[in-house]
């Protein structure tokens, strides 16, 4: 019932910035929480950031102070602003919508941090 369309990935140098977007097909205030996950090769998928439908945010420790999750309710879009990127941030980033009884995943977008 919920489609998630991601954009914004790419190749950046260490210390650079990217902004990922996750556009939902429904009013995002009807979604319990929207999260960003990432998965690097041969590693488990990792929860990076969460924004609840009340606007409360949470981050994994490794990105605190560097990443910011935000939303634009008028556009039904959630963003992940990534600053001071490090090579270890390289991964496929996935948008995830939690609707309580059901969950949805975006297609993933590749972020590569390399010189």
């Amino acid at each position: 019932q919920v489609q998630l369309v991601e954009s914004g990935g790419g190749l950046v140098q260490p210390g650079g910035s990217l902004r990922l977007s996750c556009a939902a097909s429904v009013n995002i205030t009807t979604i319990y929480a929207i999260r960003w996950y990432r998965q690097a090769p041969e590693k488990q998928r990792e929860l990076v950031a969460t924004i609840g439908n009340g606007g409360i945010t949470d981050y994994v420790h490794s990105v605190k102070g560097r990443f910011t999750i935000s939303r634009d309710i008028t556009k039904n879009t959630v963003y992940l602003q990534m600053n001071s990127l490090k090579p270890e941030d390289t991964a496929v980033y996935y948008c995830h919508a939690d609707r309580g009884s059901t969950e949805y995943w975006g297609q993933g977008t590749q972020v590569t941090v390399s010189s």
Side-chain angles (χ1 to χ4, degrees):
Q1 298 292 334
V2 179
Q3 286 75 51
L4 305 172
V5 180
E6 302 173 349
S7 61
L11 173 64
V12 296
Q13 296 183 10
S17 297
L18 284 173
R19 188 179 74 164
L20 306 183
S21 299
C22 174
S25 62
V26 301
N27 185 340
I28 60 173
T29 64
T30 69
I31 301 173
Y32 180 78
I34 298 178
R35 299 178 171 93
W36 286 98
Y37 287 79
R38 65 187 180 188
Q39 187 165 21
E42 301 183 351
K43 292 186 177 181
Q44 295 182 5
R45 190 166 295 188
E46 176 188 34
L47 175 62
V48 177
T50 301
I51 186 165
N53 63 4
I56 302 298
T57 60
D58 195 21
Y59 305 89
V60 67
H61 182 265
S62 61
V63 309
K64 287 183 177 179
R66 299 189 298 121
F67 291 10
T68 302
I69 188 169
S70 63
R71 64 182 179 177
D72 185 337
I73 294 174
T74 67
K75 297 180 179 179
N76 290 324
T77 298
V78 172
Y79 304 97
L80 185 67
Q81 178 68 46
M82 305 185 295
N83 298 325
S84 301
L85 283 162
K86 304 174 181 179
E88 52 262 44
D89 295 318
T90 296
V92 178
Y93 283 71
Y94 297 92
C95 183
H96 173 271
D98 180 355
R99 234 181 182 182
S101 61
T102 314
E103 62 182 48
Y104 305 89
W105 291 93
Q107 78 284 0
T109 184
Q110 177 71 49
V111 172
T112 302
V113 185
S114 177
S115 60

